[in-house]
Amino acid sequence: VHGLMTLGFAGARQQTELCNESLMLEKLPACGKSFEEMMKKVDSKKWCNLTEFIMYYDNFTQCTEREANNASCFWPNPLAEGFITGIHKQFFSNCTSEKVHWEDPPDEILITLILIPVMLTCAMITLVVWCSKRSDIL
């Protein structure tokens, strides 16, 4: 068992040693360029709406994964993530997630929402008790 574990660790270490980071960094910009070309087709006002360009973004991430794998690197990895973050800053820096302000509904609605389950529970208990008494009679 010990020999197998050593071999497993050696295999994992060998995988990380094989990663050609310079090759990966050389190839990733082509993915970014392709994504940039696709994003030119989308109105810049819609750049914060993911549904407008989800296919382009999917192609972009697949491209970065493919190039990382071709360079024998794991994906995601810090260098690829740094590149992807750069693309995000280029296209999505103006996209802020607006915080949703939760508010309680008006008291009338709140009371109704609380009372309905309470009333249903009481009705079910009454029905069960009534049915069990009737079965005794029958």
Side-chain angles (χ1 to χ4, degrees), residues 3-18 74:
L4 285 173
M5 285 184 70
T6 309
L7 181 68
F9 286 127
R13 192 166 56 247
Q14 188 179 14
Q15 172 69 36
T16 53
E17 286 171 10
L18 286 174
F74 289 109

Side-chain angles (χ1 to χ4, degrees), residues 1-2 8 14 18 25 32 39 49 54 75 84 91 93 101 108 126 138:
V1 176
H2 180 71
Q14 188 179 14
L18 286 174
L25 288 175
M39 288 300 282
N49 184 354
I54 186 72
W75 189 93
I84 292 168
F91 288 98
S93 59
H101 296 290
E108 306 81 45
T126 306
L138 296 173

Side-chain angles (χ1 to χ4, degrees), residues 121-135:
T121 305
C122 291
M124 290 304 290
I125 292 169
T126 306
L127 188 64
V128 167
V129 170
W130 184 73
C131 285
S132 64
K133 283 185 178 178
R134 282 193 50 97
S135 65

Side-chain angles (χ1 to χ4, degrees), residues 53-130:
F53 59 87
I54 186 72
M55 289 300 295
Y56 304 149
Y57 190 80
D58 189 42
N59 290 341
F60 168 67
T61 53
Q62 284 180 16
C63 179
T64 59
E65 184 174 3
R66 188 171 56 248
E67 293 305 343
N69 291 335
N70 287 345
S72 301
C73 301
F74 289 109
W75 189 93
N77 61 61
L79 290 173
E81 284 178 7
F83 175 77
I84 292 168
T85 301
I87 294 291
H88 277 223
K89 283 181 182 166
Q90 183 182 341
F91 288 98
F92 314 124
S93 59
N94 292 333
C95 302
T96 55
S97 60
E98 292 176 19
K99 298 217 187 271
V100 178
H101 296 290
W102 295 97
E103 290 181 18
D104 285 339
D107 286 347
E108 306 81 45
I109 294 174
L110 197 58
I111 290 167
T112 307
L113 290 173
I114 292 169
L115 285 179
I116 288 174
V118 171
M119 300 296 261
L120 283 173
T121 305
C122 291
M124 290 304 290
I125 292 169
T126 306
L127 188 64
V128 167
V129 170
W130 184 73

